[in-house]
Amino acid sequence: MVFQLPPTVSSDHNPVLQPNECSSTLFQTIAAPASIVWALVSDFENPQRYKPFVRSCRIIDGQANQVRCLRRVDVASGLPASYSIERLEILDHDQRIFGFSIVSGDHRLSNYRSIMSLHPNGGDETVVVETYVIDAAEANTKEETCAFVDTIVKLNLRTLSRVAEDLAGKAQQQV
């Protein structure tokens, strides 16, 4: 069965690009209820729960999980960066839509914006859709920039899947 984005969010995942930007939309099916997946995704203060390259995170401006708050994300060694400052742009609990942007940091992810939506897909399955837009890095083509970011986002989504499925399994054992 092919997943179809609901019309209410399809425009969120079809950005209009500027000539220097690239974008990608990635899908991950997770064998866990949307409520469990949403609890992980919507916790802006704790991305390290499912993002393996995040070493630590703390809110530096505003209240945690409030739109426009800023977080400082310290990344794991081995990446071409040590930190990122990110702003929560969208947090819609009713439609399960989450969005953030990178506003600064010591990396080449310029003008990065991401939106993620969660969609129950029958039973205890959730489809996560993540779309990002980013300026092509100065020394790279758009294709190279997207290939690099796709690798990170895919890993984050696979880890989200594993963590959510583990939590769902634990919840089932307690019932």
Side-chain angles (χ1 to χ4, degrees):
M1 179 173 159
V2 175
F3 177 77
Q4 292 281 324
L5 270 175
T8 55
V9 297
S10 63
S11 64
D12 294 323
H13 293 287
N14 290 298
V16 176
L17 299 178
Q18 299 301 314
N20 63 324
E21 294 177 326
C22 63
S23 177
S24 188
T25 299
L26 302 161
F27 296 80
Q28 180 73 46
T29 301
I30 300 176
S35 60
I36 289 176
V37 180
W38 182 247
L40 292 164
V41 168
S42 65
D43 187 2
F44 190 65
E45 195 171 11
N46 292 293
Q48 65 272 23
R49 292 178 67 193
Y50 71 93
K51 292 185 174 187
F53 292 120
V54 175
R55 188 168 30 101
S56 65
C57 176
R58 69 181 189 282
I59 300 299
I60 59 170
D61 188 37
Q63 286 191 305
N65 296 324
Q66 296 295 314
V67 171
R68 310 286 302 160
C69 73
L70 294 176
R71 69 184 178 191
R72 179 187 167 108
V73 173
D74 293 311
V75 300
S77 62
L79 288 179
S82 63
Y83 78 96
S84 179
I85 305 297
E86 302 173 354
R87 179 175 41 238
L88 180 59
E89 302 287 356
I90 302 168
L91 187 62
D92 184 330
H93 293 289
D94 295 330
Q95 292 193 53
R96 292 190 176 114
I97 300 172
F98 171 88
F100 77 98
S101 62
I102 296 177
V103 297
S104 68
D106 66 344
H107 49 70
R108 297 185 310 174
L109 300 178
S110 178
N111 202 25
Y112 182 89
R113 300 165 321 274
S114 170
I115 189 159
M116 185 184 290
S117 60
L118 278 61
H119 309 277
N121 195 34
D124 284 340
E125 188 175 89
T126 303
V127 176
V128 178
V129 182
E130 184 165 359
T131 300
Y132 69 83
V133 176
I134 187 170
D135 288 353
E138 196 171 296
N140 300 96
T141 65
K142 288 190 235 182
E143 292 77 17
E144 291 167 333
T145 299
C146 272
F148 173 74
V149 177
D150 275 1
T151 300
I152 293 170
V153 172
K154 285 177 185 176
L155 178 61
N156 290 342
L157 290 171
R158 283 194 304 270
T159 305
L160 174 63
S161 180
R162 183 181 46 76
V163 171
E165 289 170 1
D166 287 351
L167 289 171
K170 289 177 184 171
Q172 286 285 47
Q173 291 173 355
Q174 293 176 353
V175 174

